[in-house]
């Protein structure tokens, strides 16, 4: 039996009173006082990857980087079936971004096949991730409850006419509906295994408004993660729960191998959250950063299973039945290699049905490109070959609206562009690169604003290349990582078509609707004037640009960046 709570973050004090200020949960009934083993399996950032895909990683047993095809719901189903034979009461959980930024095979159908797949895999609960808000509150609630009334009427209920929604619970302790003043979704769910009540607590990064379009979060408030999580413990304890599992869609990174037990090099936003959690919380399943790790933070276990179903995290909790508390937590990250596990026939058949229904549209050829793969790696200057290409397509799609410069955010480029043996791309390959379906917006910025915008690429004291904007042909500049914050773009280096930009002159700048709305903290774009929504979708501009270049006899794409952004130090 599962139990839910909907409560505003601000009501923590009232909850404490109503729960009788209970700090001690009643012990689970057990045949003996020996430790009880509770097993969980965790999946994060699935992003609609129904089929296997490329995964590059290093292992403790093999430090040489290896690239494999991993994941796929058929493989996941086999692993879960095998592990359920070891423990039939295993709890399978998710940790946000199960949908959104998805390959075309899922995105074509409003991600409904991915939700159905999680149902078939027996998922019990998942935190919401930022991508669950991509299409707005109403669409998120439809994904939970089912139905066909959707902002994506061209996609919703087209794969199956009776979409029933997620049978698992989406959890969000720190998301408040400002119209009602209450939690948009339950803060927690209680599952029971081997007589132990386990409180699954969900939360999403408080900075969700900076990574989701404004339309997606209208009427919602995102509170502090640690405060919201801690506020759920009194009502959980009042219901006899002493074992707490946090599903936190926030992450970090570490140089250690994906399967390194008890790694100690974890850094990032998740660390600060974990350090402020109630001491009774001994396990935090994280996400968002698409990393694989099994780390310790102040003695607590913090895990993440990369993304796309490439890995699953197996977690073992040892529970003292007398104290009703976790006495040990351990975990393993297992790469989901095809052939390792026998797929569940029903799940394998469902995958094949989705592939078959999607094949005709996804395999439709689009255009020949110049190289087999156009990559999105930004190592070095901060620019990438694929970033150049997408920025060029943004400018191409908005030229008719007067655009002079095209910009693209790295986070919106989801996969390398990979062509077939004949260098021909298809619909599915193109959509995998820019899957969000944003429209292109054109705004006016002064030269001085453009300079400030570029400086916003490095919001902290350290200057890395990972979050630099990708820029279109004709726009160039140089930067120095050793310079102080706010002074990293070299004076006089910002050029448009070989001419230095004028601080007082106005320029028309094109970007996707997420970026143009101030996404990824590029607030200067949100302040742009003479705002015009072209109505052109980014994926259409991308495909049309490839077609135009191919027809002109100059196929687009390169193996390396064009050098528009130069890092001098």
């Amino acid at each position: 039996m599962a139990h839910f709570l909907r409560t505003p973050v601000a009501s923590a004090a009232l909850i404490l009173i109503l729960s009788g200020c209970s700090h001690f949960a009643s012990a689970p009934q057990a045949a003996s006082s020996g430790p009880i083993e509770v097993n969980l399996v965790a999946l994060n950032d699935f992003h609609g990857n129904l089929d296997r895909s490329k995964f590059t990683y290093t292992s403790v047993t093999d430090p040489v980087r290896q690239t494999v095809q991993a994941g796929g719901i058929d493989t996941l189903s086999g692993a879960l079936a095998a592990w359920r034979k070891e423990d039939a009461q295993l709890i399978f959980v998710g940790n946000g971004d199960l949908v959104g930024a998805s390959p075309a095979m899922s995105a074509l159908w409003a991600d409904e096949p991915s939700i159905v797949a999680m149902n078939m895999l027996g998922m019990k609960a998942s935190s919401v991730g930022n991508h669950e808000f991509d299409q707005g509150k109403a669409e998120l609630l439809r994904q939970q409850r089912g139905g066909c009334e959707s902002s994506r009427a061209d996609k919703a209920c087209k794969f199956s006419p009776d979409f029933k929604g997620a049978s698992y619970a989406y959890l969000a302790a720190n998301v408040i509906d400002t119209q009602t003043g209450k939690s948009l979704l339950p803060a927690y769910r209680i599952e029971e295994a081997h007589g132990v009540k386990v409180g699954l607590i969900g939360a999403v990064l408080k900075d969700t408004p900076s990574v989701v379009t404004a339309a997606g979060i209208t009427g919602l408030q995102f509170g502090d993660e640690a405060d919201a999580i801690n506020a759920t413990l009194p009502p959980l304890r009042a219901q006899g729960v002493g074992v707490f599992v946090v599903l936190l869609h926030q992450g970090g990174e570490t140089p250690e191998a994906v399967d390194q037990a008890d790694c100690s090099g974890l850094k990032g936003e998740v660390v600060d959250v974990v350090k402020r959690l109630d001491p009774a919380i001994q396990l935090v399943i994280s996400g968002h950063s698409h990393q694989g790790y099994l780390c310790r933070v102040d003695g607590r276990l913090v895990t993440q299973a990369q993304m796309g179903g490439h890995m699953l995290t197996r977690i073992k909790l040892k529970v003292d039945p007398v104290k009703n508390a976790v006495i040990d937590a351990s975990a393993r990250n297992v790469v989901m290699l095809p052939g390792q596990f026998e797929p569940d026939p029903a799940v394998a058949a469902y995958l094949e049905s989705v592939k078959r229904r999607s094949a005709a549209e996804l395999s439709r050829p689009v255009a020949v490109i110049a190289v087999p793969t156009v990559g999105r790696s930004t190592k070095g200057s901060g620019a990438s070959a694929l970033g150049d290409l997408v920025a060029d397509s943004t400018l191409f799609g908005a030229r008719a609206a007067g655009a002079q410069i095209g910009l693209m955010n790295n986070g919106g480029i989801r996969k390398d562009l990979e062509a077939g043996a004949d260098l021909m791309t298809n619909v599915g390959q193109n959509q995998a690169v820019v899957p969000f379906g944003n429209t292109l917006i054109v705004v006016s910025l002064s030269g001085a604003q453009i300079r400030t915008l570029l400086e916003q690429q490095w919001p902290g004291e350290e200057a890395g290349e990972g979050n630099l904007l990708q820029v279109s042909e004709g726009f160039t500049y140089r930067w120095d990582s050793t310079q102080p914050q706010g002074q990293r773009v070299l004076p006089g280096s910002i050029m448009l078509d070989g001419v230095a930009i004028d601080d007082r002159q106005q320029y028309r700048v094109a970007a996707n609707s997420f970026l143009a709305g101030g996404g990824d903290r590029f607030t200067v774009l949100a302040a742009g004037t003479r705002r015009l929504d072209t109505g052109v979708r980014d994926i259409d501009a991308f495909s049309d640009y490839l077609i135009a270049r191919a027809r002109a006899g100059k196929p687009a794409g390169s193996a390396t960046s064009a050098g528009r952004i130069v890092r001098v130090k």
Side-chain angles (χ1 to χ4, degrees):
M1 180 72 69
H3 309 276
F4 304 89
L5 174 73
R6 292 179 183 268
T7 174
V9 177
S11 65
L14 177 60
I15 294 169
L16 190 62
I17 294 170
L18 294 177
S19 63
C21 300
S22 173
H23 294 281
F24 301 97
S26 59
Q29 296 298 312
S32 68
S33 59
I36 297 173
E37 188 175 289
V38 174
N39 291 292
L40 300 99
V41 174
L43 168 73
N44 61 274
D45 298 276
F46 182 66
H47 286 294
N49 280 264
L50 295 163
D51 205 2
R52 65 194 66 170
S53 58
K54 184 170 67 175
F55 175 39
T56 300
Y57 69 104
T58 59
S59 170
V60 171
T61 56
D62 185 0
V64 177
R65 286 179 67 82
Q66 51 188 311
T67 299
V68 298
Q69 291 290 314
I73 58 172
D74 49 349
T75 301
L76 299 183
S77 72
L80 287 164
W83 299 338
R84 284 177 174 131
K85 288 180 181 178
E86 300 174 14
D87 181 359
Q89 298 185 47
L90 173 153
I91 303 172
F92 178 42
V93 297
N95 196 15
D97 285 4
L98 300 179
V99 299
S102 306
M105 189 168 67
S106 181
L108 272 176
W109 315 106
D111 278 321
E112 291 169 5
S114 293
I115 293 172
V116 171
M118 294 302 110
N119 293 345
M120 296 179 75
L121 294 176
M123 182 171 284
K124 295 298 185 182
S126 176
S127 63
V128 288
N130 50 287
H131 282 286
E132 267 79 20
F133 294 95
D134 282 344
Q135 305 300 323
K137 175 178 71 175
E139 183 69 355
L140 169 56
L141 294 177
R142 185 186 79 88
Q143 289 173 342
Q144 175 72 89
R145 302 166 183 169
C148 298
E149 188 174 340
S150 169
S151 57
R152 297 181 284 179
D154 59 327
K155 298 179 179 181
C157 293
K158 293 297 187 286
F159 188 81
S160 174
D162 59 345
F163 176 61
K164 294 183 172 58
S167 59
Y168 54 92
Y170 274 120
L171 306 177
N174 64 326
V175 182
I176 304 302
D177 186 330
T178 56
Q179 287 185 327
T180 65
K182 298 179 180 179
S183 291
L184 176 69
L185 295 161
Y188 63 72
R189 175 180 176 122
I190 300 173
E191 289 292 328
E192 192 165 315
H194 306 290
V196 175
K197 289 184 177 180
V198 179
L200 306 173
I201 308 165
V204 65
L205 66 153
K206 65 182 179 183
D207 289 333
T208 294
S210 71
V211 293
V212 175
T213 59
I217 55 163
T218 300
L220 299 176
Q221 179 181 338
F222 294 79
D224 181 84
E225 305 98 330
D227 290 347
I229 292 165
N230 288 338
T232 67
L233 265 61
L236 281 167
R237 284 173 168 141
Q239 297 174 74
V241 178
V243 175
F244 311 104
V245 175
V246 170
L247 309 176
L248 173 62
H249 192 77
Q250 176 59 285
E253 57 185 22
T254 176
E256 294 152 301
V258 298
D259 55 352
Q260 173 65 60
D262 298 332
C263 69
S264 58
L266 186 62
K267 296 181 179 179
E269 300 285 347
V270 70
V271 175
D272 297 330
V273 177
V274 171
K275 287 183 174 181
R276 293 192 295 115
L277 294 178
D278 187 290
I281 297 171
Q282 291 297 305
L283 170 63
V284 175
I285 300 170
S286 71
H288 187 56
S289 55
H290 293 192
Q291 302 288 309
Y293 50 74
L294 306 164
C295 291
R296 296 282 175 179
V297 175
D298 288 352
R300 310 173 206 253
L301 180 60
V302 183
T303 71
Q304 191 178 146
Q306 209 258 343
M307 61 81 63
H310 295 147
M311 296 194 302
L312 290 178
T313 305
R314 297 191 70 180
I315 302 166
K316 183 179 294 185
L317 300 179
K318 289 186 178 179
V319 179
D320 184 327
V322 176
K323 296 180 179 179
N324 192 18
V326 174
I327 55 177
D328 184 57
S330 60
R332 294 170 50 209
N333 274 338
V334 183
V335 178
M336 292 289 100
L337 296 173
Q340 264 193 333
F341 304 97
E342 183 68 27
D344 179 286
V347 176
Y350 184 70
L351 174 60
E352 287 305 310
S353 73
V354 179
K355 291 166 72 172
R356 185 173 59 252
R357 289 276 304 277
S358 306
E361 173 62 18
L362 299 184
S363 61
R364 183 167 56 84
V366 175
V368 169
I369 59 175
V371 292
T373 300
V374 185
R376 59 186 182 131
S377 172
T378 60
K379 289 183 179 179
S381 67
S384 72
L386 187 52
D388 291 347
L389 183 54
V390 177
D392 285 346
S393 73
T394 299
L395 179 59
F396 176 84
R399 278 280 195 196
Q404 299 168 278
I405 301 167
L407 301 177
M408 182 61 190
N409 56 307
N410 268 330
I413 303 175
R414 305 306 294 191
K415 288 185 180 293
D416 294 348
L417 176 62
E418 298 178 335
D422 57 357
L423 299 183
M424 178 70 74
T425 69
N426 61 35
V427 170
Q429 291 163 331
N430 287 5
Q431 190 163 331
V433 174
V434 280
F436 296 108
N438 292 318
T439 57
L440 300 184
I441 309 292
V442 181
V443 299
S444 289
L445 298 178
S446 69
Q449 285 178 305
I450 290 174
R451 188 183 312 280
T452 302
L453 173 67
L454 295 179
E455 292 291 352
Q456 287 187 323
Q457 297 174 119
W458 307 283
E461 293 184 4
E462 295 187 8
E465 75 277 0
N467 195 39
L468 267 65
L469 294 169
Q470 304 300 295
V471 304
S472 59
E473 186 176 12
F475 186 79
T476 60
Y477 70 92
R478 294 180 294 152
W479 65 285
D480 184 346
S481 66
T482 66
Q483 294 302 308
Q485 183 181 2
Q487 303 175 39
R488 287 167 180 149
V489 177
L490 298 187
S493 73
I494 309 174
M495 314 281 284
L496 179 59
D497 297 327
V499 179
I501 66 165
D502 185 332
D503 280 358
R504 295 166 297 179
Q505 184 174 332
Q506 294 287 307
Y507 300 87
R508 296 292 278 166
V509 180
N512 63 59
S513 51
F514 164 71
L515 188 57
D520 282 346
R521 299 187 179 90
F522 289 107
T523 56
V524 169
L525 281 168
T529 60
R530 295 176 57 208
R531 179 172 298 263
L532 172 66
D533 188 334
T534 66
V536 177
R537 295 194 311 156
D538 51 7
I539 179 59
D540 294 334
F542 184 66
S543 296
D544 289 347
Y545 178 67
L546 298 185
I547 292 169
R549 286 286 301 268
R551 286 176 176 171
K554 298 179 180 179
S558 171
T560 58
S561 173
R564 301 164 188 172
I565 302 171
V566 176
R567 179 177 181 173
V568 297
K569 292 181 184 178

